[in-house]
């Protein structure tokens, strides 16, 4: 599905001072001093364009700090006047949008707990109709690319011309080193569906821990993301929310200095020649993979028919365990991760079962017809 979103009619609003476009500031606005002090430090980092601070906080459990509310918007207005930084907040309903507009907020983002809900996203889109403001749509909590795309579409349809997406990772039940799984293939797919839509990475909410911020930021740059939104606080360990993932403005400066920005669009003909040739090799191998897959499925269909004739179930789990175990062993000997082999072979196996089921059902319907 390639969407019918006319990104070309949108403003080239990410004409940032320097790549990446950086949004930073505390997870939550806590006090007037904390907001201003953090902002003053950040305003001295040239890459920082927008100051973020959560005003209304969606917390997992009740009884924790849920944000200072509208009074924090006045603090942000002061930040804007004092430092010249643009200011941005999360909105989760129509009232938040109205308050943000009233207080001259420059950028709003729709949080992960809101972009899951098409009713709420539409309510926000309706409140934004005809307003000139930057809007970023965070990925929904669950890894659902259609839901994310749909939320972007709703905001685009409201006529927002400064639109983008934020990749903040996806919730999983499994415990991993990250707070939210990056699932990089989803933002990559969003870029394929809506070419030209700016994508900002949120390493803070992906990692949940400050020590992983750099690696995730570097990866986002290597994947040619347009910007970063990173939580920062003058006293991170004592932050009222998300303490473990926030860094000091000094830490942010250091992180940005260390980032390696590679060229997304090489112009040198020699570089392009070599790259072009290597890409041709890749394309050739991809064609081989597809041919092989087709051949494999044809054999699976023959097996399906044979099983049908001999009244054998499609699935024999011991045979399948053997295949995966052998493939992982062979793959590892060739430097391929067990994770890759496992994912590929599970997908191939599922496809194989689908082909067998199809063949068996086609056969059984024709044979039942013959019985009449
Ligand atoms: C946030 O940016 O502070 C936030 C709550 O993020 P998310 O919606 O990604 O959880
Ligand atoms: Mn946060």
């Amino acid at each position: 599905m390639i969407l019918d979103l006319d990104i070309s009619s949108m403003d080239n609003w990410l004409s940032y001072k320097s790549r990446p476009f950086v949004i930073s500031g505390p997870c939550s606005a806590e006090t007037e001093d904390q907001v201003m002090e953090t902002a003053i430090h950040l305003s001295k980092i040239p890459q920082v364009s927008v100051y973020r601070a959560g005003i209304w906080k969606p917390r997992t459990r009740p009884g924790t700090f849920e944000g200072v509310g509208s009074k924090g918007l006045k603090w942000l207005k002061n930040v804007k006047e004092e430092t010249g930084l643009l200011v941005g907040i999360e909105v989760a309903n129509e009232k938040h949008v109205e308050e943000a507009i009233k207080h001259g907020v420059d950028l709003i983002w729709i949080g992960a707990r809101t972009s899951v809900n098409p009713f709420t996203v539409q309510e926000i889109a309706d409140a934004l109709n005809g307003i000139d403001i930057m809007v970023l749509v965070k990925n929904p909590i669950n890894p659902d690319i259609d839901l994310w795309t749909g939320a972007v579409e709703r905001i685009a349809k409201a006529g927002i011309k400064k639109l983008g997406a934020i990749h903040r990772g996806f919730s999983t039940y499994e415990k991993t080193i990250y707070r939210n799984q990056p699932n990089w293939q989803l933002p990559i797919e969003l870029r394929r569906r809506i070419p030209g839509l700016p994508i900002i990475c949120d390493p803070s909410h992906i990692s949940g821990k400050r020590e992983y911020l750099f690696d995730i930021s570097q990866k986002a740059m290597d994947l040619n993301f347009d910007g970063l939104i990173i939580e920062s606080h003058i006293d991170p360990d004592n932050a009222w929310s998300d303490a473990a993932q926030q860094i000091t403005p000094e830490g942010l400066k250091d992180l940005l200095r260390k980032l390696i920005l590679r060229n997304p669009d090489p112009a040198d003909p020699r570089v392009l020649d070599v790259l072009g040739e290597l890409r041709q090799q890749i394309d050739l191998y991809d064609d081989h993979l597809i041919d092989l897959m087709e051949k494999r499925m044809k054999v699976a269909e023959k097996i399906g028919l044979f099983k049908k004739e001999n009244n054998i179930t499609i699935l024999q789990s011991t045979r399948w365990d053997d295949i995966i175990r052998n493939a992982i062993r062979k793959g590892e000997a060739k430097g391929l991760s067990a994770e890759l082999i496992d994912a590929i072979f599970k997908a191939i196996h599922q496809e194989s079962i689908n082909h067998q089921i199809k063949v068996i059902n086609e056969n059984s319907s024709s044979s039942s017809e013959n019985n009449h």
Side-chain angles (χ1 to χ4, degrees):
M1 167 178 55
I2 301 283
L3 295 174
D4 179 25
L5 271 191
D6 190 6
I7 288 287
S8 62
S9 75
M10 295 205 175
D11 296 351
N12 184 17
W13 65 278
L14 264 188
S15 50
Y16 25 79
K17 301 176 240 171
S18 60
R19 191 171 163 259
F21 179 76
V22 179
I23 302 170
S24 189
C27 177
S28 303
E30 298 164 5
T31 67
E32 193 166 3
D33 286 350
Q34 168 253 5
V35 165
M36 184 57 82
E37 238 187 279
T38 310
I40 288 173
H41 282 93
L42 291 174
S43 69
K44 299 190 178 124
I45 304 175
Q47 293 100 320
V48 177
S49 301
V50 180
Y51 183 69
R52 64 149 285 158
I55 297 295
W56 301 281
K57 298 304 298 178
R59 303 307 299 279
T60 305
R61 307 278 308 274
T64 49
F65 174 61
E66 297 200 319
V68 292
S70 297
K71 72 175 175 202
L73 292 170
K74 300 199 180 70
W75 305 342
L76 289 182
K77 214 163 173 216
N78 295 340
V79 162
K80 214 171 136 164
E81 283 164 14
E82 193 89 2
T83 66
L85 286 169
L86 301 174
V87 293
I89 62 163
E90 173 178 346
V91 294
N93 58 40
E94 182 184 348
K95 176 183 157 277
H96 294 167
V97 174
E98 282 162 6
E99 288 279 288
I101 294 165
K102 203 167 85 194
H103 288 85
V105 166
D106 304 285
L107 177 149
I108 55 173
W109 73 87
I110 298 175
R113 291 162 193 75
T114 306
S115 54
V116 285
N117 186 336
F119 284 137
T120 315
V121 175
Q122 192 56 51
E123 171 190 316
I124 292 171
D126 292 343
L128 284 170
N129 215 306
I131 308 287
D132 181 23
I133 191 166
M134 302 176 224
V135 183
L136 299 173
V137 181
K138 280 201 173 194
N139 67 254
I141 292 227
N142 54 324
D144 185 334
I145 184 70
D146 290 331
L147 206 49
W148 194 6
T149 315
V152 172
E153 279 181 294
R154 287 178 197 275
I155 304 300
K157 285 195 169 138
I160 291 295
K161 300 275 184 231
K162 300 182 174 84
L163 183 58
I166 299 177
H167 167 231
R168 54 79 77 196
F170 303 87
S171 182
T172 86
Y173 180 65
E174 286 159 44
K175 283 279 153 260
T176 69
I177 58 165
Y178 294 141
R179 178 175 175 190
N180 291 292
Q181 280 301 100
N183 293 350
W184 294 98
Q185 70 278 17
L186 272 87
I188 290 169
E189 170 62 11
L190 187 72
R191 169 144 290 164
R192 193 190 67 78
R193 288 182 177 191
I194 319 178
L197 182 78
I199 305 185
I200 313 274
C201 181
D202 177 348
S204 306
H205 291 92
I206 291 176
S207 70
K209 281 209 183 72
R210 64 180 71 101
E211 55 262 44
Y212 301 135
L213 291 176
F214 176 80
D215 284 352
I216 297 171
S217 304
Q218 183 63 56
K219 171 120 190 193
M221 292 299 99
D222 290 339
L223 291 173
N224 201 17
F225 277 51
D226 301 87
L228 297 167
I229 176 167
I230 296 180
E231 288 183 343
S232 57
H233 192 290
I234 33 156
D235 184 8
D237 285 334
N238 290 307
W240 297 1
S241 57
D242 288 352
Q245 71 195 32
Q246 303 206 55
I247 46 172
T248 59
E250 202 48 45
L252 178 73
K253 197 170 155 192
D254 208 39
L255 183 154
L256 295 173
R257 190 178 48 74
K258 286 196 198 130
L259 275 185
I260 300 167
L261 298 177
R262 298 184 170 91
N263 188 354
D265 230 347
D268 180 342
R270 274 172 316 163
V271 172
L272 288 176
D273 266 5
V274 175
L275 208 55
E277 199 181 299
L278 292 172
R279 282 180 174 157
Q280 271 178 17
Q281 286 182 33
I282 293 269
D283 290 350
L284 209 63
Y285 283 121
D286 286 350
D287 288 347
H288 282 331
L289 284 173
I290 291 171
D291 282 350
L292 281 174
M293 223 88 84
E294 186 209 8
K295 291 196 175 88
R296 195 191 188 284
M297 293 312 150
K298 290 249 156 68
V299 177
E301 285 168 11
K302 280 189 194 155
I303 292 182
L305 277 180
F306 185 78
K307 284 178 180 167
K308 162 83 182 159
E309 281 157 21
N310 291 281
N311 209 21
I312 307 170
T313 56
I314 289 180
L315 197 62
Q316 281 103 38
S317 60
T318 49
R319 156 88 180 138
W320 178 238
D321 291 344
D322 287 347
I323 290 182
I324 288 257
R325 208 173 328 104
N326 285 332
I328 288 179
R329 187 176 42 77
K330 286 183 193 161
E332 279 181 335
K334 291 183 184 291
L336 303 170
S337 67
E339 196 187 12
L340 171 81
I341 300 289
D342 191 66
I344 289 183
F345 275 77
K346 277 190 180 138
I348 291 177
H349 186 231
Q350 185 56 54
E351 181 75 10
S352 192
I353 289 176
N354 295 348
H355 279 251
Q356 292 188 35
I357 288 176
K358 193 165 143 254
V359 165
I360 286 176
N361 286 340
E362 269 169 9
N363 194 41
S364 64
S365 61
S366 62
S367 63
S368 66
E369 270 165 28
N370 292 341
N371 290 339
H372 283 286

